[in-house]
Amino acid sequence: MGKWSPADDAELATGWRLWLELSDRVWPDPSWDGTPADAIRQVRALLTACEEIRLTYLAETSQPSVALLQLLQSMSFVASFAVDLWHDDTHPLDVDRAELLHGDLASFAEHVAGVRAALARGGGWVELDRRPWGLPVD
């Protein structure tokens, strides 16, 4: 994963917002109906959020960060295969298809983890991924 460090407040806020959005939207939520299309719903919502973040960032800065834009754009690129494959599959999963869907989501989740790690390193909030929420930092 590429390196990124914020050059200004707009870039820092964008990185932070992206990091937060990526925290829990890869896997289906409890409302999942058991179909691949509904599993991909959350990924599609995440991609929509990424596009909104990108457009907001571009509106706020006159010198956008290539590294940050690449991180944002990588999300739709990496997710495109799974989204194209599963977005209209409304049939309940069988064991074989569940394994395939899980593999596609796991690949995307691995990419998301890499983007989050790059953002955390560059933004200086690596320790947030390392400690249980709500506990004081030593």
Side-chain angles (χ1 to χ4, degrees), residues 5 7 23 64 103-104:
S5 59
S23 66
D104 290 343

Side-chain angles (χ1 to χ4, degrees), residues 65-131:
S65 162
V66 171
L68 184 55
L69 291 175
Q70 287 174 338
L71 288 173
L72 280 159
Q73 291 166 340
S74 74
M75 299 302 298
S76 59
F77 178 76
V78 172
S80 65
F81 174 76
V83 169
D84 288 347
L85 183 63
W86 299 107
H87 78 279
D88 60 353
D89 187 338
T90 58
H91 303 297
L93 288 169
D94 57 33
V95 172
D96 294 332
R97 289 173 57 246
E99 187 177 325
L100 292 170
L101 176 61
H102 183 270
D104 290 343
L105 291 175
S107 273
F108 183 60
E110 187 175 314
H111 179 73
V112 167
V115 171
R116 278 181 53 92
L119 291 167
R121 277 191 309 273
W125 54 83
V126 171
E127 70 281 353
L128 294 177
D129 275 337
R130 292 189 184 147
R131 65 185 168 112

Side-chain angles (χ1 to χ4, degrees), residues 7-11 14 54-66 69:
D8 57 29
D9 289 344
E11 194 173 335
T14 300
R54 187 183 75 80
L55 292 173
T56 299
Y57 174 60
L58 289 173
E60 291 175 351
T61 186
S62 60
Q63 296 180 321
S65 162
V66 171
L69 291 175

Side-chain angles (χ1 to χ4, degrees), residues 22-39:
L22 298 178
S23 66
D24 66 351
R25 288 189 165 191
V26 175
W27 299 101
D29 62 22
S31 70
W32 179 46
D33 70 4
T35 65
D38 198 46

